[in-house]
């Protein structure tokens, strides 16, 4: 009877610890569990509490409180498109297999700030020029600078290796609007999350990391992490404007 009781106690304890951790870590490696949270501006209350503030592509909302279209209030309880990545401070990022990001010009879909194509440095942009005419393509960065992708003949494809991180748009000489929107991370250790979720990176080399986030309408954040071997570290990313310095 004592043996049975000891077995049941051990089994329950093992299940409890397993649920508490929930992360399988390869021997000698590290893991981090990141809780993603969104925080409305302190003191902010919608003018009409009954209005719907659920987000959608481009936040194209029409409400009686704010009919401003794409600048309608964000639903902080339902934010999506939050990009989270880790940058190794000690050591180097793991080698990743470069991926191809195909797109076509003209692009039949509506360009959308809230749902950019996500890649990392070293990925390859593959552009199909659907036009019958030769066109020249560029990357336009959010700081206003430009990178030349090159000239692509009508009906042909061209390739460009992504070299610079950050938010950027693909544009061309012939079109008066962006072809597509990109966000390029400096590290292959990235994931796209929504608020009130938890994402996990495991199989990480122990060491020092910078944890960073980006959202197309809210400020990004940065935190430092120290990952120990054979352990899982917990961290939180808070998306919102409350951490910004106050304007005097």
């Amino acid at each position: 009877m004592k043996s049975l009781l000891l077995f049941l106690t051990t089994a329950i304890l093992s299940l409890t610890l397993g649920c508490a951790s929930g992360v399988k870590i390869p021997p000698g490696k590290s893991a981090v569990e990141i809780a993603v949270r969104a925080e409305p501006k302190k003191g902010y209350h919608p003018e009409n509490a009954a209005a719907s503030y659920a987000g959608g592509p481009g936040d194209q909302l029409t409400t009686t409180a704010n009919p401003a279209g794409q600048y309608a209030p964000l639903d902080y309880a339902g934010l999506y498109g939050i990009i989270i990545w880790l940058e190794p401070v000690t050591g180097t990022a793991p080698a990743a297999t470069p991926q191809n990001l195909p797109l076509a010009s003209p692009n039949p879909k509506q360009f959308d700030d809230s749902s950019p194509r996500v890649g990392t440095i070293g990925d390859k942009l593959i552009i199909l020029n659907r036009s019958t005419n030769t066109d020249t393509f560029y990357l336009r960065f959010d700081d206003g600078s430009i990178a030349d992708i090159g000239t692509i003949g009508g009906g042909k494809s061209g390739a460009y290796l992504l070299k610079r991180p950050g938010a950027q748009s693909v544009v061309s000489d012939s079109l008066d609007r962006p072809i597509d929107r990109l966000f390029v991370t400096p590290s292959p250790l990235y994931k796209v999350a929504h608020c009130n979720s938890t994402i996990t990176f495991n199989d990480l080399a122990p060491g020092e990391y910078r944890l960073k986030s980006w959202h197309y309408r809210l400020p990004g954040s940065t935190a430092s992490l120290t990952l120990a071997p054979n352990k899982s570290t917990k961290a939180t990313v808070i998306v919102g404007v409350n951490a910004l310095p106050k304007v005097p």
Side-chain angles (χ1 to χ4, degrees):
M1 186 67 179
K2 287 183 179 180
S3 298
L4 177 60
L5 181 60
L6 179 60
F7 172 78
L8 290 174
T9 303
T10 304
I12 293 171
L13 181 59
S14 298
L15 288 172
T16 303
L17 290 175
C19 292
S21 170
V23 180
K24 293 182 179 180
I25 309 172
K29 297 290 188 175
S30 302
V32 58
E33 298 174 81
I34 304 166
V36 184
R37 303 286 181 260
E39 193 176 76
K41 184 177 180 180
K42 291 177 180 176
Y44 168 76
H45 299 285
E47 296 177 13
N48 182 353
S52 172
Y53 293 95
D59 295 325
Q60 298 295 325
L61 306 182
T62 301
T63 69
T64 55
N66 188 341
Q70 70 183 83
Y71 295 107
L74 286 168
D75 174 14
Y76 279 83
L79 283 185
Y80 63 100
I82 303 168
I83 302 172
I84 312 289
W85 71 94
L86 292 168
E87 297 178 12
V89 176
T90 56
T92 58
T97 303
Q99 63 175 333
N100 291 337
L101 301 177
L103 60 88
S105 173
N107 191 345
K109 77 171 187 175
Q110 183 66 34
F111 148 70
D112 181 9
D113 264 333
S114 65
S115 302
R117 304 281 296 278
V118 183
T120 191
I121 289 177
D123 286 349
K124 188 180 293 184
L125 199 59
I126 307 292
I127 301 175
L128 169 63
N129 181 9
R130 285 177 168 160
S131 170
T132 57
N133 300 319
T134 297
D135 204 355
T136 302
F137 296 84
Y138 310 88
L139 284 175
R140 184 171 63 208
F141 299 90
D142 278 9
D143 63 3
S145 59
I146 298 288
D148 186 9
I149 292 175
T151 299
I152 303 174
K156 298 185 180 299
S157 295
Y160 177 82
L161 203 65
L162 295 171
K163 307 178 184 72
R164 179 174 163 183
Q168 46 205 275
S169 300
V170 181
V171 298
S172 76
D173 280 342
S174 69
L175 299 176
D176 59 0
R177 66 179 181 86
I179 299 162
D180 213 336
R181 183 75 164 156
L182 307 176
F183 186 86
V184 179
T185 66
S187 163
L189 300 171
Y190 72 85
K191 293 189 179 184
V192 182
H194 57 272
C195 77
N196 300 323
S197 66
T198 299
I199 60 173
T200 300
F201 292 90
N202 56 9
D203 200 14
L204 297 172
E208 305 291 327
Y209 289 82
R210 279 188 294 268
L211 168 62
K212 293 191 173 185
S213 69
W214 178 89
H215 184 264
Y216 77 105
R217 275 184 64 183
L218 294 170
S221 60
T222 302
S224 296
L225 296 177
T226 300
L227 304 186
N230 305 311
K231 291 186 179 180
S232 177
T233 299
K234 294 185 181 294
T236 301
V237 165
I238 298 178
V239 180
V241 298
N242 293 316
L244 292 176
K246 292 184 179 179
V247 178

